[in-house]
Amino acid sequence: MRILVVGSGGREHALIWKLSKSPQVKKIFVAPGNGGMKDLAEYLPLSADKTVELADFALSSRIDLTVVGPELPLVSGIVDYFQSRGLKIFGPSKAAARLEGSKAFAKSVMEKYGVPTARCQLFQSLEDASVYIERHPAPLVIKADGLASGKGVIVAQTKEEAIRAATSILKDRIFGDSGRQILIEECLTGQELSVLACVDGKNFVLLDSSQDHKRAYDGDVGPNTGGMGAYSPVPMVDDRMMKQIAKTIFEPVVRGMALEGSPFKGILYAGLMLTPQGPKVLEFNVRFGDPEAQAILPRLKSDFLELILASLEGWLDKYQVQWDERSCACVVLASKGYPGSYDIGRVISGLDKAADLPDTIVFHAGTESDKGRLLTKGGRVLNVVGMGHTLEAALEKAYHGVDLIDFEGKQYRRDIGSHALKSKMSVR
Ligand code: AMP
Ligand code: GLY
């Protein structure tokens, strides 16, 4: 099969890497890709938002399947458009992608179909939002309704901070039209967990658990980022908890979307908080997480293309996913200043040495190749992934790779996986 992968991050590198292992895959194209994919895929100089041109290419180049990495094209309707031109594509329709594109929509589905989530209220008017904030105790969580590149959520510790957040979204429109309305949510506490499922509209299979590290700096402090590292599986999550998550979260939302006339097909990602009352949904995403994909896909033993085709053909109820029992840890190397402003064009060294380590993979994100050199080109630059029989061993491998790679301003967290290691120690 000839495959087109849309996107350019570490997640897309992991998708391509895994797809390339499938015996049925003959050729992969990537649009637009990054500096690390040339051995696996042919580059197409088209950004992920060029829906019409991407479909033109898919038709003229006899692409058998398109796989979409990021949320924006999905929320904008790339799946509907490709299908209208007779092209096979993996991902949710525009209507189903509203689970990520509108937090208000996602809440309404969760409320209607009984999916556990934080209590919340929706506001268009700053005046009404301010009255609500005055009447409710902090902390409160303020969320822009629409897409905001992962920056649209503010956990406000005081009423003043909550008012400032509501003002900046509703009045100053710091997220543009994504901030036409806001949700104000109760603040949940507990461990966070990402659980992803592959869904065929009716049936789903859960992928193994993972945990992201959203804050920029060690100890979970600093600004929220796209994710500074991840690992899979999460040791505190056992089969019983996964069954509970399947039953209380995925079953009702998958059934609900079908009943609403927008069956969900693709990867559905539930960002969860493990509260004392059980797992509750913080958010849904309608695609693989980045960097969760980089920690999950190396552990997938099943043929990834086969899993995608089972979803597209609607027989996931008969599909058994096989996992490598080892742990996988991913450490993100970012540019100095990320998630704020950062410089690009720094020379990267040591990659070959890191990639030669056993049980280690380096997935590129913001990189570009230039006259034989590799340069930084984004906030998140590289993902160093290690595999091992324990999480400790996987982390050791990943951090060994991290030490071998260098570029000016290299910034990373040294405590990926430390929550899991600590909770394991407290169990002992
Ligand atoms: P989201 O983009 O909705 O996943 O939110 C980003 C981050 O904000 C989450 O990973 C949580 O750390 C935090 N968050 C979101 N909603 C809540 C909530 N209701 N209570 C506490 N923290 C939250
Ligand atoms: N790692 C979080 C996300 O992909 O949204």
Side-chain angles (χ1 to χ4, degrees):
M1 284 181 93
R2 291 160 66 80
I3 313 275
L4 169 63
V5 173
V6 177
S8 61
R11 163 183 52 208
E12 286 74 22
H13 195 175
L15 291 171
I16 289 169
W17 173 84
K18 187 65 196 165
L19 279 167
S20 72
K21 299 191 179 303
S22 167
Q24 286 187 70
V25 171
K26 293 286 172 274
K27 169 109 187 161
I28 303 177
F29 294 86
V30 60
N34 60 38
M37 301 166 168
K38 72 172 188 319
D39 296 337
L40 299 176
E42 185 173 325
Y43 293 109
L44 200 65
L46 282 176
S47 55
D49 58 351
K50 293 274 183 283
T51 311
V52 176
E53 291 85 343
L54 288 167
D56 289 344
F57 171 80
L59 275 175
S60 64
S61 297
R62 292 170 289 105
I63 296 294
D64 299 298
L65 169 71
T66 298
V67 178
V68 185
E71 63 275 19
L72 209 57
L74 295 168
V75 171
S76 305
I78 191 171
V79 168
D80 312 59
Y81 184 73
F82 268 54
Q83 285 172 345
S84 76
R85 295 186 63 183
L87 289 161
K88 196 182 271 186
I89 182 165
F90 180 59
S93 66
K94 183 174 183 175
R98 282 182 300 165
L99 278 179
E100 177 164 2
S102 166
K103 290 186 191 294
F105 173 78
K107 277 284 174 188
S108 69
V109 172
M110 286 189 265
E111 276 163 17
K112 187 162 171 189
Y113 295 96
V115 178
T117 183
R119 278 193 305 272
C120 87
Q121 285 265 8
L122 186 63
F123 296 95
Q124 282 99 21
S125 128
L126 179 59
E127 217 183 327
D128 295 347
S130 305
V131 170
Y132 181 91
I133 291 167
E134 286 306 336
R135 288 190 184 150
H136 289 79
L140 288 168
V141 183
I142 315 294
K143 297 188 172 183
D145 176 43
L147 292 182
S149 317
K151 297 186 191 119
V153 175
I154 296 124
V155 181
Q157 297 302 335
T158 62
K159 286 181 196 274
E160 292 70 36
E161 204 185 328
I163 301 262
R164 272 203 303 279
T167 308
S168 65
I169 300 173
L170 281 173
K171 188 153 161 271
D172 307 337
R173 290 292 175 94
I174 57 167
F175 302 122
D177 277 354
S178 287
R180 266 199 302 241
Q181 42 186 9
I182 58 168
L183 288 128
I184 305 186
E185 265 186 28
E186 70 173 318
C187 187
L188 301 176
T189 52
Q191 284 273 347
E192 281 187 48
L193 179 71
S194 304
V195 179
L196 285 67
C198 187
V199 189
D200 70 9
K202 235 178 26 239
N203 314 291
F204 62 89
V205 291
L206 289 190
L207 307 187
D208 255 4
S209 59
S210 59
Q211 193 171 48
D212 186 11
H213 295 62
K214 290 210 167 76
R215 300 298 193 97
Y217 312 128
D218 287 1
D220 290 327
V221 298
N224 262 327
T225 68
M228 293 299 287
Y231 62 91
S232 170
V234 179
M236 66 178 169
V237 178
D238 57 12
D239 267 5
R240 219 177 104 229
M241 189 180 290
M242 289 301 268
K243 286 208 176 89
Q244 184 186 5
I245 289 167
K247 194 166 169 46
T248 63
I249 292 163
F250 283 93
E251 269 180 37
V253 72
V254 169
R255 185 168 32 86
M257 290 300 286
L259 288 171
E260 295 295 307
S262 318
F264 189 97
K265 292 182 193 168
I267 298 293
L268 181 59
Y269 163 141
L272 305 173
M273 187 78 92
L274 300 179
T275 73
Q277 295 79 41
K280 293 190 180 180
V281 176
L282 297 175
E283 64 163 348
F284 282 120
N285 294 321
V286 297
R287 36 110 192 141
F288 268 105
D290 184 344
E292 286 93 330
Q294 294 90 303
I296 293 173
L297 289 170
R299 297 191 51 244
L300 180 65
K301 270 217 247 169
S302 309
D303 182 324
F304 184 34
L305 178 67
E306 200 180 84
L307 176 65
I308 291 177
L309 293 177
S311 157
L312 287 169
E313 290 159 13
W315 53 276
L316 280 177
D317 50 332
K318 297 180 196 75
Y319 198 90
Q320 278 278 339
V321 192
Q322 306 292 327
W323 294 100
D324 187 329
E325 288 303 317
R326 288 178 300 166
S327 282
C328 187
C330 166
V331 180
V332 172
L333 302 185
S335 298
K336 185 174 173 208
Y338 173 78
S341 56
Y342 51 81
D343 289 332
I344 60 170
R346 302 287 181 250
V347 178
I348 303 169
S349 63
L351 265 183
D352 291 344
K353 269 192 250 155
D356 280 348
L357 293 174
D359 302 319
T360 307
I361 318 164
V362 181
F363 291 125
H364 290 229
T367 67
E368 94 179 305
S369 111
D370 176 64
K371 300 186 197 96
R373 294 178 315 171
L374 195 75
L375 304 178
T376 66
K377 200 198 173 188
R380 289 191 290 176
V381 178
L382 292 163
N383 303 263
V384 188
V385 172
M387 307 237 349
H389 286 286
T390 59
L391 178 56
E392 287 96 325
L395 286 162
E396 208 179 295
K397 292 256 164 62
Y399 278 110
H400 187 187
V402 166
D403 288 340
L404 294 175
I405 299 173
D406 206 17
F407 55 87
E408 195 188 321
K410 175 177 104 174
Q411 172 194 323
Y412 64 95
R413 279 184 61 163
R414 288 166 180 77
D415 65 345
I416 302 304
S418 64
H419 276 314
L421 297 181
K422 265 187 233 139
S423 56
K424 219 166 89 188
M425 279 189 297
S426 63
V427 172
R428 265 185 209 144

